[in-house]
Every structure is written in C-alpha cells, then in structure tokens.
Amino acid sequence: MSFGRILTAMVTPMNEKSDVDYQEAIRLAHYLIDHGSDGVVVCGTTGESPTVTDEEKIELFKVVKKALGTKGTVIAGIGSNSTNSSIALARKAAATGVDGLMAVVPYYNKPSQEGMFQHFKVIAEAVPLPLMLYNVPGRTSANLLPETVKRLADISNIVALKEACGSVDQVSELKRILPSDFEVYSGDDSMTLPMLALGCSGIVSVAAHIVGDEMKAMVDAWFAGDTAQAAKWHLELFPIFKGIFVTSNPVPIKAMLNMMGINAGEVRLPLVKATTEEIKFLEKLMQGVKKLNNVTQTPAVSELKVASEKLSHPIV
C-alpha cells in the first residue's frame, strides 16, 4: 500500500493545563488534510511521543482515525527503545483502526544492526498492519543501515522507511538496493526535493503544518515533470524548512500554529516554550509564511471552524 505523498508528523495539541486537547487534535487533523496532506503521523517525535502516555496515545489514535475516516491516512507512532513495550502499544493501536504503524530505531541503548533487525521483525510479526521504519540517527545515536533495511523489506508488512539520516549517499544506496515498491520518505523537509530526485515517495513533514499547500504544489510539480517549478518552490520554502528548527522540535512549530490561531498549546517538560528571542525570530518567519500562502490569523481561525463543523463523531 501507499501511505500517500505528503504525511504531516502532527503535533499533539495541549490545553493550558498541559492535558491533551483531543478536540483540537481532530480539528488540526482535518485542517492538515484540507491543506495538502494525504495523511498524518500521530504521536511521532513532533507529537511529543516521549511525554505523551500510552493511554493518551491510544485515545489520540482512536479519535483522529474515527474523525478522518477514509479522508486521510492515519499512522500511529508506536516505537520506543523497548521491543516488548512497542509490541504492546502496536497491538492496542491496531485495535483503533489506524491505517499503519511507525516505529523509530531504538534510542539510548544503541542496538547493533542485528538487534535493530530483530526489533523491527518481531514488531511486524506481532501486528500485521503496514509498518514504516524511522531512521533518525541525530536523535537515536544509531543508524539503520541500507543492508539492514533491505533485509527488513523482505518482511511483507514492512513497507516503508522514513529516512532522516541527512546523507544523500545513504539514500542513494537505499534506492539502489531496495525493491521498487518499498517506499522511502524524507524525514527532513529540506531534503524532500533531493530525495524525490532519487526516486523516493514523499515526505513526513513538520513544515506542512503551516505551508501544506505549498508543499503539495512542490511535490505535485515534481511528479508532473515540472522540475523547474519544483525547484522554485523548494528554494522559496527553504528558509521555512530550516527556520522551524531554531530550537527543539516541536517548540517552534507549536508556537507558529498558535500565531495562526490554531490552538496547539505549549510543550511538556523537559521541553520548554520558545524564548523571547526565538519568538521574535518565528514572528519574522511567519511573515514569510503569510507571503507564501496568504494565511492571516483570521482566515486560519475561520478555516479551523469550518473544519470543526465537519466533525461527525463526538469525543469518546
């Protein structure tokens, strides 16, 4: 199966008490699908997976999938550095009706390539849903190498990789040795176009929260063969791609969503809100966003209200 070309690694909205705001999560999911995304990844790193409890994750999986239905793909982030815990969460996630799972390379304990292979293998065998691997060495201190991905691609329900290694050489090797139907997604917004040029499938994006329509225009231009237009979009969006990581993700993107009138709230400790200087930088960055998509605070709120009116399922 294909998860789509643009997947947004969705933030987890919080209220003023730092509780998960499930209603706002549903509204945000609708907003993202209406603005360029084919699907959402719920409770990945951008969704603050380390500090959202398993009970909160299951409720998020359930309500977002119930709300979106067939409108967009919902991928549940279930990975951790405990194989047994990942399997337990994957089984609970599968019961919510999500379309697929994403599991990150185990962090901190730094497994060998064989350890990573066995970790992902037993997760896939325990839960038959399509599984996306996630390689992000900058966060995990371990790099899932192409030969290991190739071995994992032989397992029928391991169907995709979110690759955030930052190396065009490694991506080239992946595309050289992997089956043609195995999907490789960029895990970095700024690497989207270079990775599309290497034959990758799309992006698991953070920037699509605020420039989703423009991301779609770039990706659609590439697949339509208009490489010049795709490159133009890439260069226009590049300062935003880099600027939203002025401090630890998802601090900046939550701040910018709040500026747009989307109630993303704050982050949970040990993350802290953006500093005064960072907010000033993000406000200037938002001016660039507005020039690109003509979104002002009022229309953003208006569109969010329209999205909320589409809700057919109550929070349960």
Side-chain angles (χ1 to χ4, degrees):
M1 68 166 290
S2 176
F3 290 128
R5 290 177 176 172
I6 300 176
L7 306 171
T8 299
M10 197 175 88
V11 304
T12 298
M14 307 276 185
N15 63 24
E16 63 278 1
K17 296 180 181 179
S18 291
D19 295 328
V20 174
D21 189 334
Y22 297 102
Q23 190 69 36
E24 201 69 11
I26 292 173
R27 291 172 179 157
L28 176 58
H30 276 291
Y31 180 84
L32 295 172
I33 299 301
D34 288 343
H35 289 275
S37 292
D38 300 305
V40 293
V41 175
V42 180
C43 295
T45 309
T46 308
E48 298 180 71
S49 57
T51 54
V52 174
T53 69
D54 282 0
E55 292 74 19
E56 290 169 328
K57 290 175 183 177
I58 294 301
E59 187 69 7
L60 280 164
F61 301 154
K62 180 167 62 175
V63 300
V64 171
K65 183 56 193 174
K66 190 174 183 180
L68 290 184
T70 59
K71 182 180 177 182
T73 305
V74 178
I75 302 172
I78 55 86
S80 73
N81 62 347
S82 165
T83 305
N84 287 339
S85 295
S86 299
I87 290 171
L89 183 56
R91 286 173 171 156
K92 292 176 182 177
T96 68
V98 295
D99 301 289
L101 308 172
M102 186 179 76
V104 69
V105 167
Y107 41 86
Y108 187 71
N109 39 19
K110 298 181 72 172
S112 65
Q113 294 298 309
E114 182 61 25
M116 290 184 235
F117 173 79
Q118 293 296 337
H119 172 80
F120 291 121
K121 176 176 180 288
V122 297
I123 293 173
E125 290 174 344
V127 184
L129 280 178
L131 177 64
M132 176 186 287
L133 313 173
Y134 179 21
N135 186 39
V136 55
R139 285 187 176 268
T140 65
S141 298
N143 187 13
L144 182 66
L145 296 178
E147 285 294 337
T148 307
V149 178
K150 182 181 179 182
R151 292 175 65 198
L152 289 164
D154 290 334
I155 300 169
S156 61
N157 60 318
I158 297 181
V159 298
L161 167 69
K162 176 184 175 183
E163 180 57 84
C165 66
S167 168
V168 172
D169 284 356
Q170 182 158 314
V171 175
S172 298
E173 181 65 5
L174 283 164
K175 291 302 297 179
R176 190 183 74 83
I177 67 176
L178 287 172
S180 60
D181 60 348
F182 188 92
E183 297 200 295
V184 179
Y185 289 83
S186 174
D188 295 307
D189 286 299
S190 63
M191 287 287 288
T192 305
L193 189 58
M195 287 181 63
L196 290 178
L198 290 170
C200 295
S201 299
I203 172 69
V204 181
S205 175
V206 177
H209 283 95
I210 56 174
V211 286
D213 293 322
E214 291 72 24
M215 294 285 291
K216 179 174 172 56
M218 180 181 72
V219 172
D220 286 352
W222 172 262
F223 282 105
D226 192 347
T227 56
Q229 183 60 47
K232 182 179 179 181
W233 273 119
H234 169 78
L235 296 175
E236 290 278 2
L237 291 165
F238 186 74
I240 296 166
F241 292 160
K242 306 306 287 188
I244 58 174
F245 291 94
V246 66
T247 188
S248 297
N249 182 46
V251 175
I253 200 66
K254 275 194 157 184
M256 294 184 79
L257 285 169
N258 290 331
M259 292 173 194
M260 289 172 59
I262 297 174
N263 298 320
E266 299 295 348
V267 290
R268 283 182 177 171
L269 288 169
L271 298 179
V272 294
K273 65 183 181 180
T275 66
T276 301
E277 289 302 312
E278 288 163 351
I279 289 293
K280 288 180 180 178
F281 171 82
L282 294 170
E283 287 173 342
K284 290 181 180 178
L285 194 65
M286 181 58 75
Q287 295 305 311
V289 171
K290 289 178 180 180
K291 288 178 182 178
L292 284 174
N293 60 25
N294 295 318
V295 170
T296 61
Q297 186 173 358
T298 302
V301 173
S302 175
E303 288 177 352
L304 199 58
K305 288 180 179 176
V306 170
S308 70
E309 290 168 1
K310 297 178 182 179
L311 302 183
S312 57
H313 302 290
I315 298 291
V316 291

